[in-house]
Amino acid sequence: MTPFRTLLRYFLGGCLLIAPLAATAQDYPSKPIRMIVPFSAGGPTDGLARSLAKSMGEVLGQSIIVDNRPGAGGSIGIDAVAKAAPDGYVIGMAHTGTTAINPHLYPRHPYDPRSDLTPITPVVSYTNVLVVNPKVPVNNVAEFVAWSKRSDVKANYASGGNGATNHLSGELLKSLTGARLDHIPYKGSAPALVDVMAGTVSAMFDIPITALPQIRAGYVKPLAVTSAKRSSYLPDVPTMRESGVPGFDEAGSDLWFGLVAPAKLPPALVDRLYQAALKAMQMPELQQAIRGMAYEPWTLTPVEFKTFMNVEYEKWAKVVKLSGAKVD
């Protein structure tokens, strides 16, 4: 066989391999897509996912069905995504905990987010805000830390449970400032906030969507947000860095939700989902829903998101180790 014919043979063979992939991308999606949400129906994550699924479905011309798979801090749902076929018909709503915290928290974690998932794009970012009961005699973080160190004070903070982001935010504050705070874990952030309002617990870190109504009503007092920049929903509340706690934002304090798919999803399908998410994020209805949940719209390219997720993985590993938190 002549060299020319050999080259032609390899070229035609390559075209035959590429053709099915091109056809798959062109025809996709030809049936409904399943979006696995790793938390219960009715919560903030579920509300965000359903709004996003509706808008993305309109862009793609196919319905996106939300499938709630709660448990293990979100890991059960994202594990189902990781184990699904990489054909574009199963995607998941991941978040800081499912990809950056849980792998270090659970000794036998079922998936590695760095190798078992395909990042598509984040969709929102958000923050924790440190709030205290109004009777705690402080007005800023420095005063709160000093108050916690007094010999006549038994200061504590509540969280939604061991390993939750608001637990780790508290442990990070203790590490960076030497604050003396006992951790009191609850089965969810809602009952924790109730006890902070009642004065049973001194403080907690909470997300704006649930903290804002209580802040406005005067039931809790905000001291600082954990994000690198001030929250647009709490513009008068300083960041931890502005409050004299440098390094807090560098340790992994900006929280987020984003879309992921199984590993080895063909690049053409990754781009199709990414572009659909971008178009959906421009829709006024989705923008209004996101603002109503006190989230900040935020996207990255799939490559940028992968890099970001890897950095987050390492950052939160240090915070989890610092806290000593483990979940069997």
Side-chain angles (χ1 to χ4, degrees), residues 74-89:
S75 287
I76 288 176
I78 299 303
D79 184 46
V81 176
K83 290 179 169 55
D87 57 7
Y89 289 100

Side-chain angles (χ1 to χ4, degrees), residues 87-313:
D87 57 7
Y89 289 100
V90 173
I91 57 177
M93 179 66 80
H95 111 303
T96 310
T98 59
T99 59
I101 295 174
N102 292 358
H104 312 291
L105 194 64
Y106 291 83
R108 294 174 294 278
H109 198 255
Y111 60 88
D112 186 331
R114 299 166 297 178
S115 58
D116 297 336
L117 297 171
T118 296
I120 298 170
T121 184
V123 290
V124 297
S125 65
Y126 63 104
T127 184
N128 275 330
V129 54
L130 173 60
V131 296
V132 298
N133 181 275
K135 293 182 179 179
V136 175
V138 303
N139 292 302
N140 54 56
V141 175
E143 290 179 0
F144 179 61
V145 171
W147 175 78
S148 75
K149 295 178 180 178
R150 283 171 37 179
S151 60
D152 61 332
V153 165
K154 189 174 177 60
N156 48 34
Y157 78 99
S159 81
N162 286 320
T165 59
N166 50 10
H167 168 212
L168 299 179
S169 291
E171 293 304 310
L172 186 56
L173 179 65
K174 289 166 60 177
S175 171
L176 294 174
T177 66
R180 292 181 186 170
L181 297 168
D182 292 329
H183 173 227
I184 302 177
Y186 285 73
K187 292 183 178 179
S189 293
L193 184 59
V194 168
D195 273 8
V196 175
M197 290 189 289
T200 307
V201 186
S202 309
M204 77 173 289
F205 289 84
D206 198 15
I207 59 176
I209 189 174
T210 49
L212 271 170
Q214 314 313 327
I215 291 171
R216 289 167 178 161
Y219 295 134
V220 293
K221 182 165 47 178
L223 300 185
V225 293
T226 62
S227 49
K229 297 179 181 179
R230 291 195 183 198
S231 168
S232 62
Y233 303 100
L234 294 161
D236 297 327
V237 178
T239 66
M240 280 290 178
R241 179 176 289 276
E242 291 173 324
S243 302
V245 192
F248 202 103
D249 51 300
E250 297 168 1
S253 54
D254 285 278
L255 309 173
W256 53 270
F257 286 104
L259 292 175
V260 296
K264 300 180 180 179
L265 184 67
L269 299 187
V270 175
D271 186 64
R272 185 89 169 91
L273 287 165
Y274 167 62
Q275 295 297 336
L278 286 188
K279 290 179 181 178
M281 293 291 286
Q282 301 303 315
M283 293 181 173
E285 184 178 357
L286 180 56
Q287 290 184 1
Q288 183 178 359
I290 288 172
R291 292 294 180 187
M293 299 174 206
Y295 293 130
E296 303 282 358
W298 180 48
T299 59
L300 294 171
T301 68
V303 172
E304 291 170 336
F305 191 25
K306 182 176 181 63
T307 300
F308 172 79
M309 282 175 55
N310 288 341
V311 171
E312 285 278 283
Y313 184 92

